[in-house]
Amino acid sequence: MPLPISRYSDPSLTIDRINTHLPIFQNGGIHFSAPDLSSSPTALFWSFNITMASMKLHRDPPFRAEHLGSLLRPAKLLKAREGVIKGAISKDELTKIEDESVKEIVDVQLKAGFRAITDGEYRRHQFWGTFFPGLEGFTVIHDPPADIFRPYMPDIAAFTNTGLNPGESVICTGKIKHVGSTYIDQWNYLKSLVPPDKVKDCKLTLAAPEWYHMRYRNGRAYSKDVYANDDEYFADIAQAYQTELGILYNAGLRNIQFDDPNLAYFCSDSMMSGWKADPLNTCTVEDQLHTYIKLYNDCISHCPPDMHIGVHLCRGNFANSVHFAEGSYDAIATTLFETMKVHTFYLEYDTHRAGGFEPLKHLPLNKSVILGIVTSKFPKLEDPAEMKERVMQAAQFVAEGNNVSKEEALKRLGVSPQCGFASHEAGNAIDWDGMVKKLDLVRSIADSIWEGEA
């Protein structure tokens, strides 16, 4: 018997039923044809027309002041999570403390004047959450053998160079199938904490679709007994995301942000050199980037026009403010900005590691960039006037690339920290008061440039 998608969805709308309502491609656009599901709230996701080529600039979201999702966990939450591991408290007790903590961090964000409210990723150990382990066909492996990884991936290299291996990973061992959302409970609790008219502003962060592919050596992400090639594997990944996004959309989610350090690794000279030297690779690094962008586009191809889609790129943000990579966006800007069919790019720009603003010349006028000019890694506060000047410099490059005025270019921009404050639950090298001051600073910078705008 097919499984219902989740306890929050129409129990009659099973995975098998959703998979029969896939798109028919017509005239370069996407036309969805589905039976009459008007009695089901999940029908909303499957009854629209969209042409990606005519995608318009999406506003509110994104907002002028943003943060990237993860926020420092309070001590009581970290203690409770440790208590569950040790068997000192039950999972129900942990959930109660998570609920309390999420409510408190929502209040912090509202007080600071943010609209894209998140739950701080408080129910996750690390930023990518449990999407992949929640799919049928994936298996969590503890203490994975080092030889399955591409050693030149910046995060893998950071571990192995210190004599460590990633503590756990997830690998495909069977046919991939979405059998229930691991995000929906997080989302439903978050939306219960804000007024109904503010639900559309709230943001949920999602794992990158190539997360458990790029890190592995060619041929090690899945068994050849399961998938003959990457095309087959990615097709099922995309279908899983389409199903997940449909569930979340019909639960009211309108604002998503993919978190993807992997894409920024394509800016890294050491990664690109390692890729070229790896005899197991069967494509160029440029071709691999195109493949991943196509995967993204397939994952989001069913999203209605009112669902804002963003992707966040950074160069690593591990516990205690560790970064993994360096490199400007020059190598990927044209391909990324022009071919990835998202509305917004959230870009790290707090240090020289990310290079200059020149690549923003390639930003199309129907897309936005949130400039991560405030660091979340350390407590020292940036100078507001200097940050405002940096935004103006970025706007000038957007203007030059599109032959528009700086004022027009500013309509495509916003500001944020460069990454979250706790991509790993242990958090960055900054305390609670420091985090709040950083959020206040982001809000004040935005207000000084876009007065009266969210």
Side-chain angles (χ1 to χ4, degrees), residues 231-248:
D231 288 345
E232 291 184 4
Y233 170 79
F234 288 144
D236 280 356
I237 292 286
Q239 189 168 353
Y241 271 90
Q242 291 162 9
T243 302
E244 180 70 35
L245 291 170
I247 295 166
L248 294 169

Side-chain angles (χ1 to χ4, degrees), residues 129-148:
T130 56
F131 177 72
F132 282 94
L135 297 176
E136 185 176 295
F138 278 94
T139 301
V140 177
I141 50 175
H142 297 279
D143 299 317
D147 65 355
I148 71 171

Side-chain angles (χ1 to χ4, degrees), residues 246-324:
I247 295 166
L248 294 169
Y249 180 89
N250 292 309
L253 180 64
R254 296 295 183 271
N255 188 8
I256 64 169
Q257 172 192 305
F258 289 95
D259 285 327
D260 200 340
N262 283 349
L263 291 177
Y265 294 169
F266 286 94
C267 305
S268 165
D269 288 340
S270 62
M271 193 287 284
M272 290 189 285
S273 296
W275 185 283
K276 292 174 183 177
D278 186 344
L280 296 178
N281 289 331
T282 57
C283 69
T284 67
V285 69
E286 293 81 9
D287 287 342
Q288 191 64 63
L289 176 61
H290 280 282
T291 296
Y292 287 154
I293 291 175
K294 180 182 182 300
L295 172 61
Y296 261 98
N297 291 342
D298 289 344
C299 289
I300 62 178
S301 62
H302 293 185
C303 293
D306 66 337
M307 192 174 207
H308 171 256
I309 305 160
V311 62
H312 164 54
L313 281 70
C314 80
R315 288 150 184 77
N317 192 48
F318 196 60
N320 204 36
S321 301
V322 172
H323 75 277
F324 297 129

Side-chain angles (χ1 to χ4, degrees), residues 361-437:
K361 288 182 179 180
H362 301 286
L363 182 73
L365 282 178
N366 65 345
K367 298 181 183 180
S368 297
V369 161
I370 304 301
L371 301 165
I373 55 175
V374 172
T375 189
S376 66
K377 292 183 182 294
F378 306 107
K380 183 180 178 180
L381 292 173
E382 290 81 356
D383 177 72
E386 185 178 318
M387 295 302 101
K388 181 176 180 179
E389 176 58 28
R390 294 200 70 204
V391 173
M392 295 304 168
Q393 291 170 5
Q396 186 61 46
F397 285 112
V398 175
E400 290 176 8
N402 289 277
N403 195 28
V404 298
S405 68
K406 185 187 292 187
E407 291 71 26
E408 185 66 24
L410 280 169
K411 295 178 182 178
R412 276 82 183 163
L413 303 180
V415 293
S416 73
Q418 101 291 344
C419 195
F421 290 88
S423 301
H424 183 286
E425 68 176 0
N428 288 352
I430 185 171
D431 64 15
W432 186 272
D433 288 342
M435 177 184 73
V436 172
K437 288 177 181 177

